[in-house]
Amino acid sequence: ESPSLQSTSPEMARALPAPGEQYRNPTEVQMSQLVLPCHTNHRGELSIGQLLKWIDTTACLSGKQSCAMDLAIHYVGQVVNIKAKVNRAFNSSMEVGIQVSYEDLCSGKQWNVCKAYATFVAQGKATGKMKLKPLTPQTEEEKMEYSIAAERRRMRLAHTDTLKDLLTHSTMPTERENGDCNNVVPAEKTRVESVELVLPPHANHQGNTFGGQIMAWMENVATIAASRLCHAHPTLKTIEMFHFRGPSQVGDRLLLKAIVNNSFKNSMEVGVCVEAYRQEMEVSRRHINSAFMTFVVLDQEGQPSAIPMVKPEVGDGERRYREASARKKIRLDRKYIISCEQTKVPLSVPWDQSNKVYLSYNNVSALKTLVAKTNWVLAAEIDKVRMYTLEEDKYLSFRIEMTLCIDATQAFFLLSDLRQRHEWDRHYAAELVQQVDEDDTIYHVVSQTVSQENKPQDFVILASRRKPCDEGDPYVVAFRSVMLPTCPPNPEYTRQETMCSGFCIWQETAELTKVSYYNQAAPGYLAYVTTNIAGLSSDFYVTFKACERFLQKNKDEITVGLQNL
């Protein structure tokens, strides 16, 4: 898309505001729409299809797309405000962040109601995929979104494997347990097929169908399918991955197919796919779009009502039924682990095979968010080992930083293996509990720091490591607490938790590397931080000088190991 290529120009991204002017991201686009009766459904609420059209237009102007979102209700007379901006450009794709809010003109109140991420791919007419110019973030928020976009991309690419693993390692029922067997609807009765002709008003200047128009048509057939199960007017609550596989053009016929894949106690999943064809070539249909939509039926108090059971068709219907259950599990994991604020969930989330991708994402993105903060204050410095602090709400975070004569890759591999940490940190002893994959490892860590119960402290730590995604990105080793059934609390220790900590390692020159350790301090660390800040202890300096000696001593050994890989 030509607008996106222009908007990701580094010259534009690096442009700073003139004195007295407020900085604004050059890729940011805002749209405000007044909800009129022609935009609403039978209940006077904004049609989700109309909202999807507005979202698509705004995102396209900012930067095609694969996106997921949770949706809320808007009414006639309210204003829908949509903001979109490019978070990061990769080789030929980019992530666009979209924020939807609504505004009550009478009271002046505004509410954020929906956030989504769309992935666009830049393609030339003759050359296919095009390489995008890099984006340079300026503000703290932009740096955070830029950094975490790489993690979201990694999670999206792993989604299919996560689904397959869950289906392979889990036993899922073929029909809903403890349901009313007399209230069962065959899935075939919910099937909907509809054909739309793509006309010039449905397409852009290049003749390609607007993504928002296709999404609106998909929402329409999905709503009909859901209605055939519940015999009521359903409400669309979430959309899972609008996946645009290919374009369609003016003159194409679009065959939209929808069916209820599975129903749960208070919700149902509808699968939708779109095939495109020319009138004279109906036999050669192209699968161009797919999505999964979750509907609920609200009672007079606005609460979800019970949903009838659905009986899947034999064969593909049973596969879709099981996959819908797996997607529901993934959505719950994602909501619990990623979407909730840290203060609203336990620090140690149970680790299992099905949520490993989201725990790894949460681990790395939490550290990257901490790194992107700009208001760090230098609290102490001894012989070029610097300690910074960050006071924010209820948390005191600290950062310890030093520059070494070592290759960043060497430091990355040495610091990511916690079993070697005891060689430079006398408080620390770690044993390997589980090697999850190449990037994630679970350790049992014992700290000789004595707790209030006069016992050593122990932790179960998930260590997630990441190599740089682009030039200028750091190597990352992130730590967070998890719960593991094979490693229960031991009465000999006081089980503690770490919220967010880890290393970021930057290659500054051919010879020099900056190593920074971050920790969002739990109560057990506060005495350590405050005594070092007050100058009553130089423990941070002693520990990190020992770390420097450890890295220098072992860098040649790790070089030989890397050469043998």
Side-chain angles (χ1 to χ4, degrees):
E1 300 284 347
S2 55
S4 62
L5 289 174
Q6 295 168 6
S7 64
T8 54
S9 165
E11 288 77 14
M12 293 179 66
R14 282 195 293 266
L16 295 174
E21 292 183 3
Q22 185 176 2
Y23 168 77
R24 179 171 178 175
N25 188 312
T27 71
E28 183 177 306
V29 174
Q30 297 187 21
M31 173 188 286
S32 295
Q33 295 282 355
L34 181 65
V35 179
L36 301 174
C38 61
H39 301 141
T40 60
N41 58 21
H42 64 284
R43 293 190 296 268
E45 302 163 355
L46 173 64
S47 162
I48 299 300
Q50 181 61 62
L51 177 60
L52 292 171
K53 289 182 184 180
W54 289 338
I55 288 175
D56 175 71
T57 300
T58 311
C60 188
L61 289 172
S62 174
K64 220 132 164 201
Q65 68 246 33
S66 167
C67 66
M69 63 189 78
D70 293 322
L71 299 162
I73 296 172
H74 303 70
Y75 296 94
V76 172
Q78 292 177 338
V79 172
V80 177
N81 297 310
I82 305 172
K83 182 193 298 183
K85 62 181 176 181
V86 178
N87 289 332
R88 183 162 185 165
F90 299 97
N91 287 331
S92 59
S93 67
M94 73 191 77
E95 180 190 274
V96 177
I98 306 154
Q99 178 70 57
V100 181
S101 62
Y102 73 81
E103 177 182 355
D104 189 308
L105 293 177
C106 296
S107 66
K109 292 182 179 179
Q110 296 191 30
W111 294 264
N112 291 328
V113 295
C114 170
K115 190 169 187 178
Y117 298 97
T119 302
F120 286 71
V121 177
Q123 292 184 316
K125 291 183 178 180
T127 58
K129 289 185 178 180
M130 299 177 64
K131 185 173 179 61
L132 292 171
K133 296 178 181 179
L135 183 73
T136 304
Q138 298 293 334
T139 67
E140 179 180 306
E141 180 186 359
E142 289 174 6
K143 291 176 182 176
M144 180 185 67
E145 292 288 0
Y146 178 91
S147 183
I148 299 176
E151 281 304 300
R152 284 190 289 262
R153 180 172 181 263
R154 186 178 188 273
M155 187 171 62
R156 285 193 296 270
L157 294 174
H159 177 79
T160 300
D161 291 337
T162 303
L163 187 67
K164 288 180 180 178
D165 286 347
L166 186 56
L167 291 170
T168 301
H169 295 99
S170 301
T171 302
M172 298 196 180
T174 55
E175 56 184 66
R176 203 162 86 205
E177 298 178 354
N178 302 324
D180 181 2
C181 296
N182 297 320
N183 191 21
V184 179
V185 178
E188 180 63 29
K189 289 191 175 182
T190 70
R191 185 182 298 277
V192 179
E193 291 193 3
S194 179
V195 177
E196 299 284 353
L197 174 62
V198 180
L199 299 173
H202 302 141
N204 61 21
H205 61 286
Q206 296 173 326
N208 293 328
T209 316
F210 286 121
Q213 180 63 68
I214 297 176
M215 290 191 286
W217 285 334
M218 294 171 74
E219 186 265 340
N220 180 60
V221 295
T223 301
I224 296 172
S227 299
R228 289 180 175 174
L229 175 65
C230 61
H231 299 293
H233 293 295
T235 298
L236 179 60
K237 293 301 290 182
T238 62
I239 299 172
E240 181 79 18
M241 288 290 184
F242 268 123
H243 188 191
F244 285 67
R245 299 171 181 266
S248 61
Q249 292 81 31
V250 172
D252 279 346
R253 275 72 173 169
L254 302 188
L255 175 61
L256 298 105
K257 298 187 288 187
I259 191 170
V260 175
N261 290 333
N262 200 343
S263 65
F264 307 97
K265 182 178 180 181
N266 300 115
S267 64
M268 69 190 100
E269 181 194 276
V270 179
V272 191
C273 75
V274 184
E275 297 174 348
Y277 63 93
R278 290 283 174 173
Q279 183 178 12
E280 63 276 10
M281 301 173 61
E282 185 173 356
V283 291
S284 35
R285 297 173 180 170
R286 314 184 312 273
H287 182 193
I288 62 167
N289 301 88
S290 59
F292 302 99
M293 305 186 187
T294 302
F295 289 84
V296 297
V297 177
L298 303 179
D299 59 22
Q300 293 182 344
E301 284 74 39
Q303 298 302 312
S305 303
I307 302 291
M309 293 173 59
V310 64
K311 182 176 179 59
E313 301 172 283
V314 176
D316 278 349
E318 292 174 333
R319 173 186 57 80
R320 292 194 299 267
Y321 187 95
R322 295 180 70 246
E323 288 177 352
S325 295
R327 278 187 291 271
K328 182 177 176 65
K329 167 73 164 65
I330 290 172
R331 281 194 299 273
L332 291 173
D333 285 340
R334 190 171 58 213
K335 182 178 181 180
Y336 182 73
I337 297 171
I338 297 175
S339 303
C340 293
E341 297 177 11
Q342 288 178 317
T343 55
K344 294 182 180 179
V345 296
L347 297 184
S348 294
V349 177
W351 183 94
D352 62 49
Q353 194 70 23
S354 66
N355 69 9
K356 64 179 183 180
V357 172
Y358 303 106
L359 276 171
S360 180
Y361 167 89
N362 176 274
N363 192 13
V364 176
S365 61
L367 179 59
K368 287 185 173 182
T369 299
L370 189 60
V371 172
K373 301 290 184 181
T374 57
N375 48 339
W376 291 92
V377 176
L378 180 62
E381 180 174 5
I382 303 176
D383 192 18
K384 298 183 180 179
V385 178
R386 296 169 293 278
M387 173 183 255
Y388 297 83
T389 58
L390 173 67
E391 295 184 44
E392 199 172 45
D393 297 327
K394 297 183 292 183
Y395 303 110
L396 173 64
S397 302
F398 67 91
R399 169 178 119 218
I400 301 175
E401 188 173 277
M402 58 184 175
T403 301
L404 310 173
C405 186
I406 187 175
D407 184 79
T409 308
Q410 297 171 327
F412 172 65
F413 281 100
L414 287 168
L415 294 174
S416 61
D417 187 352
L418 292 188
R419 291 171 297 182
Q420 299 186 69
R421 184 160 169 173
H422 70 278
E423 296 185 33
W424 57 272
D425 187 347
R426 60 185 175 83
H427 302 289
Y428 220 84
E431 62 176 344
L432 177 67
V433 176
Q434 184 168 342
Q435 185 70 52
V436 179
D437 54 35
E438 183 182 355
D439 295 321
D440 292 281
T441 311
I442 299 177
Y443 296 93
H444 178 233
V445 175
V446 175
S447 171
Q448 296 307 315
T449 304
V450 177
S451 67
Q452 292 180 350
E453 291 85 6
N454 201 31
K455 294 187 292 185
Q457 304 177 59
D458 76 334
F459 305 79
V460 179
I461 299 293
L462 171 66
S464 304
R465 64 182 193 177
R466 299 288 188 271
K467 296 178 182 178
C469 181
D470 287 323
E471 186 178 351
D473 286 354
Y475 289 87
V476 175
V477 186
F479 309 127
R480 66 156 293 159
S481 290
V482 294
M483 287 189 289
L484 204 62
T486 56
C487 196
N490 187 321
E492 295 181 8
Y493 305 111
T494 300
R495 177 60 53 89
Q496 296 285 7
E497 297 177 311
T498 180
M499 182 184 305
C500 171
S501 63
F503 293 94
C504 281
I505 304 160
W506 287 268
Q507 187 77 54
E508 299 215 304
T509 68
E511 295 82 20
L512 297 178
T513 291
K514 182 173 72 173
V515 177
S516 295
Y517 174 74
Y518 295 81
N519 194 310
Q520 195 167 44
Y525 280 94
L526 290 179
Y528 170 85
V529 178
T530 53
T531 53
N532 277 275
I533 292 174
L536 301 176
S537 170
S538 58
D539 199 32
F540 83 95
Y541 169 76
V542 172
T543 301
F544 275 79
K545 273 298 180 180
C547 178
E548 180 181 8
R549 291 191 294 272
F550 164 77
L551 292 174
Q552 296 293 349
K553 174 185 174 183
N554 292 279
K555 66 179 182 180
D556 294 333
E557 179 182 334
I558 199 71
T559 299
V560 173
L562 291 172
Q563 290 172 346
N564 292 333
L565 289 177

